[in-house]
Amino acid sequence: MRMNLTNNKGFTLIEVLVALVVLSVGLMGIAALYSQSMGAGRTAHYRTQAITLAADLADRIRVNRLAGAGYAGAALNNNCDADGGAIPNDCTPGQLAAHDLLRWQANIAQILPNGVGAVAFNGITLPPTYTISVTWTEVNQGNLTYTMTIQVPPLF
């Protein structure tokens, strides 16, 4: 019995189309995975920024313990920045707290999309408690909030 070799000379059109479909599905999967990893990286970056910004204000509160509820008040420009030196202009602890809030909230708005920062103060508990919240808008997730609670014992 003889085999006819003319029928086995290469790919048929159907085999080529099946290979293209398989390749296309694989490439779409890779594109979806890449897109998802980019979104996860962006979210991780924003979360890291929110944690850093909250920790920054927590450090400012610890340094300016006498301000108390001043960090839960309105943010104001009290010109408390240092004038070329290490000592800021003569500001009360409350004025420095309002100025710290102004600069902190400006940093949040600049770094995070639709970023907003807020502070709640509870002076009833001992030691006093501050709750620092940073909120931003994340693509496909809506608003996300990072909250940090710190206790700052008073100076004696």
Side-chain angles (χ1 to χ4, degrees), residues 4-136:
N4 188 352
L5 296 178
T6 57
N7 292 336
N8 298 327
K9 284 189 173 180
F11 292 111
T12 64
L13 184 59
I14 297 208
E15 290 170 332
V16 170
L17 290 176
V18 168
L20 283 174
V21 168
V22 170
L23 182 64
S24 298
V25 169
L27 290 176
M28 287 189 325
I30 290 171
L33 185 62
Y34 179 74
S35 173
Q36 190 176 25
S37 70
M38 292 295 289
R42 181 186 58 244
T43 299
H45 175 71
Y46 288 153
R47 286 180 191 271
T48 302
Q49 293 298 324
I51 291 168
T52 302
L53 288 162
D56 174 54
L57 187 65
D59 289 342
R60 291 172 187 265
I61 291 171
R62 287 183 189 105
V63 169
N64 188 15
R65 294 173 189 232
L66 297 177
Y71 281 98
L76 299 170
N77 186 0
N78 292 318
N79 197 25
C80 293
D81 292 323
D83 291 329
I87 301 172
N89 294 335
D90 293 333
C91 290
T92 66
Q95 290 172 328
L96 184 58
H99 191 79
D100 283 345
L101 276 175
L102 179 77
R103 296 191 63 201
W104 179 68
Q105 289 174 347
N107 283 341
I108 291 173
Q110 180 181 5
I111 294 172
L112 297 173
N114 298 321
V116 177
V119 179
F121 174 73
N122 183 355
I124 297 172
T125 62
L126 288 178
T129 303
Y130 296 85
T131 302
I132 303 166
S133 299
V134 178
T135 303
W136 70 98

